[in-house]
Amino acid sequence: MANTTDTGVSVTDETTSDITVEAPTAAAPEAAPASTPVDPADLVFDVSDLSVYYGDFRAVRDVNMTVERNQITALIGPSGCGKSTVLRSFNRMNDLIPTARVTGDLIYRGVDLYDPRVDPVEVRRRIGMVFQKPNPFPKSIYDNVAYGPRIAGQKKGLDEVVESSLRKAALWDEVKDRLGDSAIGLSGGQQQRLSIARAIATQPEVLLMDEPCSALDPIATARIEELMAEIKSEYTILIVTHNMQQAARVSDRTAFFSVELDEHNDRRTGLLVEYTDTAKLFSNPDDERTENYITGRFG
Amino acid sequence: MALSTIGGNGRTTARVDAEIYRQGRDLKGRGFQYLLLSALFLASLFLITLLIQVLTDGWPVLSERFVDFFTGTLRSRSSDDALGIGQGLAGTFWIAIFVIALSFPIGIAAAVYLEEYASENFITSVIDVAIRNLAGVPSVVYGLLGLALFVATRDGNSTLFAGGVTLAILVLPIVVITAAEAIRAVPSSLREGAYGVGATQWDVIRTQILPYAAPGILTGTLLSLARAIGEAAPLILVGAITDRLAPRGDGLLSLDQIFDRFTAMPIVIVGWVQESGRDQGFGPAAGAAIVVLLVFVILMNSIAVTLRNRFEKKRG
Amino acid sequence: MSDITVPTRSSGTTLSLDALSGPAARARKEGAIKAVFFLAATVSIIVSAAIVWSLVREAWVFITEVEWANTWGQNGWFPRQGLYDMPTLLVASLIVTVISMLVAGPIGLGSAIYLSEYASRRTRSILKPVLEVLAGVPSVVLGFFALFFLSPQIVERISRSGWLIIGAVILTGYVAMMVIWVRRTLQREASTSAAQMFTRIIVLTLFVLVGLVMVWWILRTAGSGDAGAANFFQVKRSGQLAAASIGVGILTIPLVASISEDALASVPRELREASAGLGARKVTTTTQIVLPAAVSGIVAAFIIGVSRVIGETMVVFMAGGAADAARFTDSPFEGGLTMTAGMASLATGTDNVVGEGLTFQSLYFVGFVLFLITLTLNVIGARFVRNVREKY
């Protein structure tokens, strides 16, 4: 983890400058690169110098950030800035793209997620994902929620898991009488809450949400945002959103990503510009690019 | 000038009116359309004539001795009461079993590999090219392969086994290509959703890909089965019996016949058509056998096509 | 890994690597399943290799041991007598190809254009199944139909003058195609390079040559077959190459139609709308915009159609009017053996392929030639199909 500083423009430098890290040990001098001191025991992700490549093309470069337990972290930025790409590397969904490659360290609770001995399947059972478009399986509501536990080998107590997951996803009351109906018949908002229930059912520690409300109407969106606040005490949530208001409403901390254009080959690479408390980022950002973006000057 | 302008306008208006309302007089367009329609009409005419010809030839035989005809065997005289397609049906039944047991699992597995596992490398592209080219190899060449593999090397014994395996190999590329198409149509959101909750690759294939692609795969397998049942050339090459075949005492399901000389429905038809030069009564018998074969093949094709259309519509 | 141990982390939150490694049994199972699927996929390579191997092995014996004088100019294919005259088979195959494509080409393409450009949803739902049923009809059924209907009812009724009239119609169509091509070429921009000019002259020359050959062939064969094609070696049966060809053509209509329809369907709607928006009539849009845009796929349909026609066996075997052996003929009104029918003939009968000397090997030699021809056509056809896909 002895990494930051010498790799050039890194958010950590800017943000650590105005806070005092309390009694950092010699082995980890920059263990808490946040504006508030982090109890290292609450550190869920510790990302340093993360870059994601598609073939030769570098989609995102040099991401440094930490994510804390039971917090909602929002990733915002203009389209093409690689925020979804970064999110998908947190549970190795990028493995599904044959040409994708990740460099740098992505430490989840002390384990490098990209260690060759790590099984992505195991990772995804602990770090669940909710996708941009609601994607219920063409099965019954019950089977959708029970899918994760079933493939993990669970045979007994599925009823309880299904009920508690649907309750947590605030969907139980609406569907408890028709669990056997096809999930395709649900409304878009219900489908997305079903996706959340499906992700919760595997009892993950982290939930990754990739623009979960972009396909939903405002009422359904509000419902999901409420839900996130409710389940926050049990999960660590990372959410990608293109909606700045949403980030401001739901998240504790926000990471702003931007794009830089490579003049030589006309390709755009994403980078993390600023990562700090949500309140600070939206009221008093350190970086000019962040300010330009949140005030609507670009993006 | 003014006058001519008005006159010009008047002419233009009249012409526009004429152009707009004269659609019915677009002779060139109509002619072209009827020309195209006549192509479809000819195709339909061929099909209808063919069906009528086959039915008028075959129906008397079928209606006179319906049950006997199904249980009868290959005979040297068309007037023989024991003449029938029993042996042909048995051979075709077993060939279908071979295709179901060999082509379906291997073909579907190959399609799954190509669509879900294979990375872009040399071996994958070789497999891809091989399958595409195999699909275009004439069926008679598969017969040569079967002859070389199963018959010529084993002292000239033409067996049902050789015929069944040859036809299974023949339809394998069709199964692979149609199954791969069906798998490609599975939305990637289903894959992602399943991987996202920690499914392994096999979980995803078993619980998402195969169930979703099942109707498409079924369509492909039915089409290939229909093809195998109607195929004659490879069986001729591996030495299916066209003239006379001693009846076996044991039943349809007896496994012994797999390693015995054999015939099949299309081969019975070919044999009787050839015999008809010598004994005219074989012509109607062949017609009757065709009616039976066509019922099977068209039924299978129709189910397959209906299935495909229904699911295409359902999924938009 | 050593550089990430943060001493202050409580052990409660730090995972061990094993926690994320997953059970070894699962990894083994996944690996085994993948291996099984891979093996299934390699079957296609094995089959391809086996086909090439079996063809080459016996064909090589034939090539090295046959007396080449017996493979050319022997006036007939009599394999059991050791006479393997290839022109007999090749010319018969050529005749069948030409006539059946004259049936399948226009009908298939016309059907495809109608279904794709003109048919309403309802008409389509009635007419499309006709082609689908036709596609499923086994070739032995077409063989029966060709022998018992097409041969006596159509081919034998085509008299000398009938054939001349049909020939005139075909030639008119051919000349019309040529005229359209020339006009189109002249309409394009005047600045043409010398190389382009050269290719065009070559194409035109080929056009004219093929036309002349057809005129010669039609005049030459008019009236043939009247006396009956019975000869010393062959058992007289009814059936002629022409009857078989029409049968093969009917069989090939759905294939040509389906590939052409795919090509037409891949032409973007915007092109049609742009043309209609300029006030073009449907016939103009179809012939000037849609067909040129889809030409690559239509060419592919014809090439793949030819490949299928050459490989078609049973119809020619049953209705081609020759069994076992055949004298050389270039007339569609006589019996003859194509490459495929020759192979099937050799394999039937009580003695199967047992014969003098190289009979068995000749089967594989013909098969090898057929394999090379169809493979070449399929590869070229696939390239044309790809052209359409890449364009849009």
Side-chain angles (χ1 to χ4, degrees), chain C residues 87-303:
Chain C
T88 303
L89 301 187
L90 290 171
V91 168
S93 281
L94 184 66
I95 292 172
V96 170
T97 305
V98 169
I99 297 179
S100 52
M101 283 316 286
L102 284 173
V103 173
I107 297 183
L109 180 59
S111 305
I113 299 175
Y114 189 84
L115 286 175
S116 153
E117 305 297 315
Y118 284 91
S120 67
R121 193 175 272 270
R122 217 177 120 256
T123 334
R124 199 186 146 80
S125 70
I126 298 168
L127 290 176
K128 179 88 179 166
V130 171
L131 293 180
E132 275 161 348
V133 170
L134 206 53
V137 174
S139 52
V140 286
V141 180
L142 257 312
F144 176 92
F145 181 63
L147 184 63
F148 290 127
F149 181 83
L150 295 175
S151 171
Q153 301 297 331
I154 295 185
V155 176
E156 279 180 10
R157 282 167 198 236
I158 297 176
S159 58
R160 182 187 177 84
S161 48
W163 179 226
L164 287 176
I165 292 169
I166 293 174
V169 170
I170 294 171
L171 280 172
T172 313
Y174 186 79
V175 170
M177 259 171 58
M178 189 158 77
V179 169
I180 290 175
W181 180 79
V182 169
R183 271 180 54 182
R184 259 172 198 281
T185 317
L186 293 180
Q187 272 167 13
R188 287 202 201 119
E189 73 278 18
S191 60
T192 39
S193 65
Q196 266 177 320
M197 238 12 241
F198 184 70
T199 352
R200 280 176 198 175
I201 288 168
I202 297 249
V203 172
L204 194 65
T205 321
L206 276 177
F207 246 134
V208 173
L209 274 180
V210 171
L212 289 178
V213 169
M214 278 170 70
V215 173
W216 171 78
W217 178 57
I218 289 165
L219 290 177
R220 187 185 137 80
T221 55
S224 67
D226 287 350
N231 70 50
F232 192 73
F233 293 98
Q234 76 190 61
V235 184
K236 169 65 179 151
R237 248 183 21 196
S238 59
Q240 316 81 356
L241 284 177
S245 303
I246 301 172
V248 176
I250 295 173
L251 205 58
T252 316
I253 292 171
L255 180 78
V256 174
S258 113
I259 303 176
S260 307
E261 214 194 328
D262 282 349
L264 294 169
S266 68
V267 175
R269 255 172 78 91
E270 292 79 41
L271 281 187
R272 295 185 180 87
E273 284 169 359
S275 168
L278 291 171
R281 289 184 191 287
K282 187 122 198 174
V283 53
T284 320
T285 306
T286 304
T287 53
Q288 306 282 317
I289 304 294
V290 180
L291 285 183
V295 73
S296 207
I298 292 166
V299 171
F302 278 71
I303 293 174

Side-chain angles (χ1 to χ4, degrees), chain B residues 155-169:
Chain B
D155 307 325
N157 280 327
S158 313
T159 62
L160 184 51
F161 175 81
V165 175
T166 304
L167 285 187
I169 294 174

Side-chain angles (χ1 to χ4, degrees), chain B residues 235-256:
Chain B
L235 296 182
I236 295 265
L237 265 288
V238 297
I241 304 301
T242 54
D243 40 18
R244 266 165 298 288
L245 181 60
R248 292 179 58 89
D250 45 7
L252 174 71
L253 295 173
S254 154
L255 286 172
D256 290 344

Side-chain angles (χ1 to χ4, degrees), chain A residues 51-57 59 85 88-89 92-103 114:
Chain A
S51 295
V52 185
Y53 295 81
Y54 294 121
D56 296 334
F57 164 58
T85 303
R88 291 167 66 92
S89 59
R92 297 194 54 174
M93 285 300 279
N94 278 339
D95 288 22
L96 301 181
I97 301 162
T99 55
R101 190 161 52 85
V102 170
T103 63
Y114 286 85

Side-chain angles (χ1 to χ4, degrees), chain B:
Chain B
M1 274 309 277
L3 204 83
S4 82
T5 313
I6 291 167
N9 274 346
R11 251 204 320 272
T12 316
T13 318
R15 210 165 70 200
V16 168
D17 278 359
E19 299 249 320
I20 289 176
Y21 295 117
R22 84 160 191 186
Q23 261 161 355
R25 286 191 287 145
D26 177 12
L27 287 180
K28 196 177 157 200
R30 286 223 150 179
F32 185 62
Q33 190 172 345
Y34 285 129
L35 193 69
L36 296 177
L37 201 54
S38 69
L40 270 168
F41 173 74
L42 267 177
S44 315
L45 190 71
F46 282 136
L47 181 64
I48 292 165
T49 322
L50 182 150
L51 293 178
I52 291 174
Q53 166 81 18
V54 167
L55 275 175
T56 48
D57 271 9
W59 190 249
V61 178
L62 274 181
S63 58
E64 266 172 44
R65 32 193 302 264
F66 193 73
V67 177
D68 285 356
F69 188 67
F70 279 91
T71 53
T73 55
L74 295 176
R75 294 279 144 176
S76 54
R77 284 179 300 114
S78 65
S79 53
D80 195 324
D81 280 343
L83 183 80
I85 54 173
Q87 295 161 316
L89 284 174
T92 293
F93 169 78
W94 278 102
I95 284 167
I97 297 286
F98 271 101
V99 169
I100 292 170
L102 291 176
S103 318
F104 290 7
I106 296 177
I108 296 168
V112 168
Y113 179 81
L114 286 175
E115 293 301 316
E116 295 297 314
Y117 286 100
S119 49
E120 277 182 34
N121 58 31
F122 178 69
I123 293 186
T124 308
S125 58
V126 170
I127 293 174
D128 211 52
V129 167
I131 289 170
R132 261 160 233 301
N133 286 328
L134 281 181
V137 170
S139 58
V140 64
V141 173
Y142 282 93
L144 288 178
L145 173 69
L147 182 63
L149 283 186
F150 306 113
V151 184
T153 53
R154 297 175 56 217
D155 307 325
N157 280 327
S158 313
T159 62
L160 184 51
F161 175 81
V165 175
T166 304
L167 285 187
I169 294 174
L170 168 78
V171 298
L172 183 65
I174 310 175
V175 178
V176 178
I177 290 173
T178 51
E181 234 164 63
I183 291 171
R184 219 172 297 137
V186 177
S188 60
S189 66
L190 287 187
R191 287 189 188 88
E192 288 201 325
Y195 280 120
V197 291
T200 63
Q201 195 153 20
W202 171 235
D203 288 331
V204 174
I205 291 164
R206 187 171 50 88
T207 61
Q208 304 289 349
I209 310 282
L210 290 181
Y212 191 93
I217 294 176
L218 194 59
T219 301
T221 50
L222 277 173
L223 287 176
S224 57
L225 193 58
R227 166 89 191 271
I229 285 176
E231 194 62 68
L235 296 182
I236 295 265
L237 265 288
V238 297
I241 304 301
T242 54
D243 40 18
R244 266 165 298 288
L245 181 60
R248 292 179 58 89
D250 45 7
L252 174 71
L253 295 173
S254 154
L255 286 172
D256 290 344
Q257 61 189 311
I258 291 176
F259 296 103
D260 200 355
R261 284 145 51 91
F262 74 106
T263 188
M265 281 304 289
I267 303 299
V268 169
I269 293 164
V270 173
W272 285 348
V273 166
Q274 286 185 322
E275 303 267 20
S276 71
R278 178 176 60 79
D279 176 350
Q280 292 215 331
F282 276 110
I290 287 179
V291 172
V292 177
L293 179 67
L294 270 183
V295 166
F296 277 113
V297 169
I298 293 183
L299 198 69
M300 263 188 241
N301 275 308
S302 317
I303 295 174
V305 168
T306 316
L307 207 67
R308 186 182 63 206
N309 291 348
R310 173 164 302 172
F311 277 87
E312 265 175 11
K313 207 175 280 172
K314 204 167 143 193
R315 286 172 185 157

